[in-house]
């Protein structure tokens, strides 16, 4: 199964650390993984063991947006030019779709292989918010390449896409929050820690988003009780101090097999929860939501920017769903 999983939470909650641990866990279970750093502060590479030079050399997906658009457009007759594609452009008949465990020009340009203790994963990054962006650009334009790729991603066996999202509730500025099978919200046992949870819960209420809370930096039963009172049954697991994580954060990584047993069990609980959500997929709703946000973006700014009626890009007969096809071939509806 292919699972698209997001880690969200307020800044400093530990979402990047937990997403990196989850990625390591999946690699140890021999799953194919694409990790995406979609946070304005690019720290996922370092959490996966890259040094500063390697992290700085990660290609920015936003810098390759023309290539991404050209590839995904495929032979879709509803898209006259890749220049008319925006971050929410949905696939249709003739679109070139993506699979996790394949080679394609987008991965060649934007992904880099990271060797972990128990296997290799692909890492992609939106790119940092640079000095040239100050005062003239919105960070949500940076993550547009991620949203476009997620809109064109289809399934394969035992494949996962794990996205470390931007901090807080900023991801609701686009429709990307509906692109995931499971969203893990990392919350500390504090009032500020659960405030982002309440925002997510409210915003996601009408979109069928699967949301589970990971309590982090938990020091005792009182912290567990507090989180349970605040988030109820959405609390999936809690995580406390980890000597393994502390060593990693000091730049002294230990073999992943030495991660504490209770933390390994917690990571397995995350995978089980994500895998269980697979049976509840509603591909029709998933596609409708994609179209919904595309039409909203088209009306609010996209038509004016491109000079094209972007509503015409919607293929009413197309539903993105599980299907079998030759790798690299456009998939029919």
């Amino acid at each position: 199964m292919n699972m698209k999983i997001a880690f969200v939470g307020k800044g400093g909650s530990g979402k990047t650390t937990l997403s990196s641990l989850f990625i390591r866990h999946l690699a140890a279970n021999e799953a194919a993984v694409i990790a995406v750093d979609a946070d304005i502060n690019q720290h996922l590479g370092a959490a996966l063991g890259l040094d500063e030079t390697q992290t700085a050399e990660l290609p920015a997906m936003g810098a390759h947006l023309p290539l991404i658009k050209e590839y995904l457009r495929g032979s879709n007759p509803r898209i006259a030019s890749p220049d008319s594609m925006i971050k929410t452009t949905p696939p249709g008949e003739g679109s070139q779709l993506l699979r996790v465990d394949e080679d394609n020009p987008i991965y060649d340009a934007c992904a880099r292989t990271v060797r972990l203790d128990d296997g290799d994963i692909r890492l992609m990054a939106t790119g940092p918010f640079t000095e040239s962006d100050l005062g003239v650009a919105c960070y949500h334009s940076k993550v547009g390449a991620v949203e476009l790729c997620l809109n064109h991603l289809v399934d394969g066996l035992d494949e996962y896409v794990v996205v470390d999202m931007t901090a807080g509730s900023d991801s609701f500025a686009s429709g990307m929050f509906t692109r995931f099978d499971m969203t893990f919200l990392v919350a500390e046992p504090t009032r500020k820690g659960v405030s982002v949870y309440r925002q997510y819960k409210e915003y996601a209420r009408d979109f069928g988003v699967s949301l589970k809370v990971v309590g982090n930096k938990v020091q005792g039963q009182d912290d567990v009780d507090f989180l349970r009172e605040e988030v109820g049954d959405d609390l999936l697991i809690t995580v406390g101090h980890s000597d393994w994580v502390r060593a990693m954060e000091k730049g002294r990584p230990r073999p992943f097999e030495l991660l504490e047993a209770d933390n390994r069990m917690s990571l397995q609980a995350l995978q089980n929860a994500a895998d269980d959500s697979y049976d509840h997929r509603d591909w029709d709703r998933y596609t409708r939501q994609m179209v919904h946000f595309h039409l909203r973006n088209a009306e609010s700014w996209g038509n004016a920017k491109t000079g094209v009626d972007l509503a015409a890009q919607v293929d009413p007969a197309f539903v993105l769903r599980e299907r079998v096809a030759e790798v690299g071939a456009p998939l029919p509806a």
Side-chain angles (χ1 to χ4, degrees):
M1 62 185 68
N2 171 296
M3 302 300 298
K4 294 179 276 290
I5 299 164
F7 279 80
V8 300
K10 78 174 185 67
S13 64
K15 67 178 181 61
T16 298
T17 296
L18 283 167
S19 61
S20 71
L21 291 176
F22 186 63
I23 291 164
R24 291 175 185 272
H25 166 80
L26 293 175
N29 284 351
E30 300 183 345
V33 181
I34 290 180
V36 182
D37 192 342
D39 196 350
I40 189 170
N41 299 306
Q42 306 273 286
H43 294 313
L44 183 59
L48 291 171
L50 300 186
D51 60 31
E52 291 184 5
T53 299
Q54 292 170 321
T55 300
E57 290 175 347
L58 289 172
M61 293 180 68
H64 295 279
L65 197 53
L67 179 150
I68 292 172
K69 291 179 177 179
E70 179 65 43
Y71 182 76
L72 297 179
R73 175 193 176 208
S75 60
N76 187 335
R78 295 177 178 272
I79 303 175
S81 164
D83 293 335
S84 67
M85 295 176 70
I86 62 174
K87 63 181 182 179
T88 53
T89 297
E93 180 72 26
S95 292
Q96 180 70 63
L97 304 181
L98 298 174
R99 298 160 187 80
V100 171
D101 196 17
E102 68 173 3
D103 295 319
N104 60 54
I106 293 178
Y107 296 162
D108 290 343
C110 302
R112 293 295 179 265
T113 298
V114 177
R115 177 153 296 177
L116 303 177
D117 291 348
D118 300 296
D120 297 344
I121 60 101
R122 279 173 166 152
L123 175 61
M124 305 172 74
T126 59
F129 200 65
T130 64
E131 185 175 346
S132 62
D133 295 320
L134 296 177
V136 297
C138 171
Y139 185 69
H140 303 298
S141 64
K142 298 281 186 181
V143 299
V146 180
E147 185 169 358
L148 196 56
C149 287
L150 290 176
N151 279 353
H152 290 74
L153 185 69
V154 290
D155 287 37
L157 183 64
D158 294 326
E159 297 174 352
Y160 295 80
V161 176
V162 181
V163 182
D164 181 22
M165 296 284 282
T166 191
S169 56
D170 284 354
S171 60
F172 286 97
S174 74
M176 196 160 73
F177 73 97
T178 66
R179 301 298 87 199
F180 300 101
D181 299 291
M182 176 61 69
T183 297
F184 292 124
L185 190 145
V186 182
E188 299 168 79
T190 64
R191 292 175 64 183
K192 288 184 178 180
V194 299
S195 64
V196 174
Y197 161 77
R198 294 198 182 94
Q199 288 178 304
Y200 254 84
K201 189 73 170 179
E202 181 65 26
Y203 292 153
R205 191 181 309 278
D206 297 330
F207 293 94
V209 173
S210 297
L211 179 67
K212 290 295 182 182
V213 174
V214 179
N216 194 28
K217 304 180 184 179
V218 171
Q219 297 182 8
Q221 188 59 44
D222 184 65
D223 286 346
V224 176
D225 293 341
F226 172 82
L227 287 169
R228 183 69 69 186
E229 290 170 4
E230 295 293 330
V231 309
D233 291 339
D234 285 340
L235 182 63
L236 179 62
I237 62 167
T238 61
V239 180
H241 174 78
S242 168
D243 290 335
W244 192 96
V245 170
R246 181 55 59 89
M248 177 194 70
E249 293 175 338
K250 291 178 178 178
R252 304 167 185 170
R254 301 171 181 172
F256 186 63
E257 63 183 14
L258 299 181
L259 180 70
E260 299 85 356
D262 56 342
N263 287 329
R264 294 186 71 93
M265 291 177 62
S266 293
L267 294 174
Q268 185 60 53
L270 295 182
Q271 184 178 0
N272 293 344
D275 290 350
D276 288 346
S277 71
Y278 186 84
D279 293 333
H280 304 291
R281 280 187 171 190
D282 185 336
W283 290 104
D284 290 317
R285 182 182 69 189
Y286 188 85
T287 306
R288 285 197 308 272
Q289 289 174 346
M290 194 187 312
V291 170
H292 167 76
F293 284 104
H294 180 63
L295 295 178
R296 285 182 57 180
N297 279 271
E299 183 177 355
S300 64
W301 62 270
N303 290 343
K305 181 175 181 178
T306 62
V308 175
D309 178 12
L310 297 179
Q313 294 179 342
V314 176
D315 184 343
F318 185 88
V319 176
L320 185 69
R321 65 172 74 250
E322 257 181 312
R323 62 200 73 192
V324 178
E326 293 183 6
V327 173
L331 300 182

